[in-house]
Amino acid sequence: MTHTPTQPLTRIECPLCGNPESFDVMRVQDWLVTQNWFTLMECPRCTGRFIQPFPRKDELPAYYQSEAYISHTDTKKGLINRLYRLARKETLRSKRRRIEKASGLKKGKLLDFGAATGHFLHTMQQAGWDVTGVEPDERARKRAKEHFGLTILPREDLLRLPEKSFDVITLWHVLEHIHDLHGTLDCLKCLLKPSGILVVAVPNYLSYDAGFYGKYWAAWDPPRHLYHFTPEAMEQVMSSHGLRIISRRRMHLDSFYISLLSEKIHKRNSPIRGLIVGKISWLKSLFQPETCSSITYFVTSDE
């Protein structure tokens, strides 16, 4: 499916597929750190979305410097963050079960790219997996060391890892953050064993909650989220790197979490409405999995 835009096309190249034309969708705001506004663009060829102005790589770290950014700080402040922490144990168990099913392995070598504070790595290590983590944020790496004794590598060490050495490589809500998207995918593909599985979880802007909240949808999260994927956009991106999606799975609790976060940045902040919207989005995705708030893609090499 390709979109026929009602807005005029502009000469801005899509960073996902290279299409030289795209169109404006809406203005979205960095509610977390700077309050700056960005333009959300859509590519009519791949259906992917991306932000403009597209920040330089050296500008990005400043946008993560917030105690409210839970994946790096592990903060307990606020109702939503407390709920997130309560749900995390079940989410981590679900991730482990899905990886074991997709890979056919109970133990193996796993790389978590964008490991944050190490909770997923710790879960897999406790289950007997040989784990390696890569995380660009120094504060997050330090917390992983303090809490779990994990030595997580900085981003630049990715190139030092041996090729074809991992059974599973995971990116949990990470791909949308990566400035060098295509170079990173090529690198990760080289690190996979021939029978290895790449696991990629991203927000999905075709979800009910995305449509309901519009510019207030928390998963836009500019400029930390540089890109936004539909199943079609993900298919095209993976195919361009010789990768093939073998299955997709819903992330069950994300519709509730994203809806509650969206309520927090909405001027009529109502947690009850957030739970209702999350429940509607969750129910719709039971019958239309491609409209789930977040989707996990299981990917293998096509070569």
Side-chain angles (χ1 to χ4, degrees):
M1 178 186 74
T2 56
H3 290 183
T4 302
T6 56
Q7 304 91 329
L9 291 170
T10 57
R11 300 293 297 181
I12 298 178
E13 182 175 302
C14 172
L16 300 180
C17 73
N19 182 25
E21 294 182 316
S22 56
F23 61 93
D24 294 12
V25 178
M26 68 177 86
R27 296 275 285 167
V28 290
Q29 189 174 19
D30 172 18
W31 304 97
L32 187 63
V33 179
T34 66
Q35 312 307 310
N36 291 342
W37 286 85
F38 298 82
T39 300
L40 192 65
M41 310 294 295
E42 182 171 330
C43 172
R45 184 165 74 188
C46 75
T47 74
R49 290 182 176 179
F50 57 96
I51 62 166
Q52 287 291 309
F54 201 81
R56 300 191 314 270
K57 188 175 182 179
D58 63 347
E59 295 175 324
L60 286 174
Y63 288 101
Y64 291 84
Q65 303 306 310
S66 170
E67 282 300 314
Y69 195 67
I70 189 170
S71 65
H72 283 180
T73 65
D74 221 12
T75 180
K76 300 177 183 178
K77 295 178 182 178
L79 174 63
I80 295 174
N81 289 330
R82 290 197 295 272
L83 291 173
Y84 173 89
R85 291 167 65 91
L86 285 172
R88 182 164 54 194
K89 184 177 290 187
E90 174 53 35
T91 300
L92 291 171
R93 281 198 295 261
S94 175
K95 288 176 178 178
R96 177 179 58 80
R97 289 193 297 266
R98 289 182 175 188
I99 284 172
E100 290 174 350
K101 182 177 180 180
S103 67
L105 300 172
K106 291 293 184 181
K107 298 179 182 179
K109 291 196 67 174
L110 179 141
L111 169 65
D112 188 27
F113 185 79
T117 52
H119 287 269
F120 172 68
L121 275 183
H122 177 66
T123 297
M124 299 305 289
Q125 186 180 62
Q126 292 294 102
W129 285 70
D130 179 4
V131 301
T132 301
V134 171
E135 168 57 50
D137 188 81
E138 184 178 1
R139 295 176 307 158
R141 296 198 304 269
K142 183 178 179 182
R143 284 180 172 84
K145 183 70 172 177
E146 292 171 350
H147 295 168
F148 303 120
L150 292 167
T151 300
I152 294 179
L153 305 174
R155 171 64 176 83
E156 54 269 24
D157 282 5
L158 184 68
L159 296 174
R160 300 189 179 99
L161 296 174
E163 293 186 6
K164 295 180 173 52
S165 57
F166 292 99
D167 299 292
V168 176
I169 298 177
T170 55
L171 297 91
W172 300 110
H173 285 285
V174 169
L175 194 67
E176 64 270 28
H177 295 260
I178 298 174
H179 198 274
D180 180 17
L181 175 78
H182 296 288
T184 300
L185 281 174
D186 284 338
C187 182
L188 295 177
K189 180 184 174 184
C190 288
L191 296 176
L192 269 182
K193 292 181 180 179
S195 59
I197 298 292
L198 182 67
V199 183
V200 181
V202 291
N204 174 31
Y205 78 77
L206 296 181
S207 65
Y208 173 82
D209 45 288
F212 182 89
Y213 286 108
K215 69 179 181 180
Y216 296 105
W217 191 48
W220 295 131
D221 198 22
R224 288 160 294 278
H225 289 188
L226 300 167
Y227 329 94
H228 295 275
F229 302 87
T230 61
E232 181 178 354
M234 184 64 73
E235 192 85 43
Q236 289 195 35
V237 169
M238 292 300 163
S239 178
S240 71
H241 291 272
L243 296 164
R244 177 170 48 89
I245 297 171
I246 54 176
S247 65
R248 301 191 302 235
R249 294 290 183 272
R250 297 178 306 131
M251 298 195 76
H252 301 287
L253 298 179
D254 276 31
S255 59
F256 296 96
Y257 178 63
I258 293 298
S259 295
L260 287 169
L261 277 179
S262 301
E263 285 292 335
K264 186 177 178 181
I265 63 178
H266 197 285
K267 64 177 106 177
R268 296 197 306 270
N269 182 11
S270 169
I272 293 175
R273 185 176 64 174
L275 290 172
I276 293 171
V277 172
K279 184 65 175 291
I280 294 172
S281 187
W282 178 80
L283 286 170
K284 283 182 173 290
S285 72
L286 288 175
F287 304 98
Q288 296 176 297
E290 69 279 4
T291 67
C292 189
S293 188
S294 293
I295 299 176
T296 303
Y297 298 87
F298 295 86
V299 183
T300 189
S301 176
D302 223 3
E303 298 173 359

